[in-house]
């Protein structure tokens, strides 16, 4: 049985961990504008890193327009999120969170995505890079109806 990392949003956290928490909270709430506001104008999201069904060239989603399109293609199609962060390593302007993201999709499907989710922030605390390391095949193998 793993230990879950719980963050008290009122407690002082490193800026990257705080940004990651806010990102997860906005995704869970379906708050696209709030999520986009967490990112610097020139930010890049690679979720997952490398070529995927969400990013065929594997170059990431760049800037507000790219992040907005990423939301519409991915986060916006999820009915419910559950985030379980088992460990979190903050260093400098970055944090690497190890955990599972469970997505509940239309049609009653559920998918568990195990991965490492790395956020880097600038001096203003805005996310400049979010890189998610997870394997599509492993995640899809968990797809099931609930």
């Amino acid at each position: 049985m793993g230990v879950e990392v719980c963050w008290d949003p009122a407690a002082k956290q490193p800026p990257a961990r705080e940004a990651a928490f806010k990102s997860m909270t906005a995704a869970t709430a379906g708050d696209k504008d709030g999520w986009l506001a967490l990112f610097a104008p020139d930010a890049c999201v690679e979720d997952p890193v490398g070529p995927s069904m969400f990013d065929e060239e594997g170059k990431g989603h760049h800037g507000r327009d790219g992040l907005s399109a990423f939301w519409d293609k991915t986060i916006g199609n999820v009915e419910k999120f559950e985030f379980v962060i088992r460990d979190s390593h903050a260093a400098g302007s970055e944090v690497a969170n190890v955990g599972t993201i469970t997505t509940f999709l239309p049609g009653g499907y559920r998918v568990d995505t195990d991965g490492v989710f790395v956020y880097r922030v600038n001096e203003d605390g805005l996310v400049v890079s979010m890189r998610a390391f997870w394997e599509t095949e492993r995640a899809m193998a968990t797809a099931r109806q609930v």
Side-chain angles (χ1 to χ4, degrees):
M1 180 149 118
V3 175
E4 293 183 26
V5 176
C6 296
W7 292 307
D8 175 358
K12 181 72 174 152
Q13 296 291 337
R17 184 176 289 143
E18 185 176 317
F21 177 79
K22 288 178 180 178
S23 175
M24 289 181 275
T25 300
T28 300
D31 182 3
K32 179 180 178 180
D33 291 335
W35 184 79
L36 289 170
L38 299 171
F39 291 83
D42 59 346
C44 177
V45 168
E46 297 173 82
D47 186 356
V49 171
S52 73
M53 61 189 152
F54 306 127
D55 179 12
E56 291 180 11
E57 294 182 19
K59 296 181 179 180
H61 308 274
H62 297 267
R64 298 275 181 196
D65 290 343
L67 273 58
S68 179
F70 170 77
W71 174 285
D72 293 342
K73 188 184 287 187
T74 60
I75 299 168
N77 292 316
V78 174
E79 292 179 347
K80 177 183 166 187
F81 283 97
E82 290 178 358
F83 293 87
V84 175
I85 303 301
R86 288 184 295 281
D87 213 343
S88 180
H89 306 276
S93 62
E94 299 188 62
V95 66
N97 294 322
V98 180
T100 302
I101 300 172
T102 300
T103 52
F104 295 83
L105 304 168
Y109 284 93
R110 173 183 174 156
V111 176
D112 299 318
T113 303
D114 292 324
V116 178
F117 309 94
V118 181
Y119 291 77
R120 183 168 42 96
V121 297
N122 64 17
E123 59 279 349
D124 296 322
L126 295 175
V127 179
V128 294
S129 172
M130 196 285 277
R131 303 181 78 215
F133 295 85
W134 57 275
E135 298 175 38
T136 305
E137 296 78 20
R138 283 177 61 176
M140 297 313 294
T142 72
R144 62 210 179 272
Q145 281 203 296
V146 289

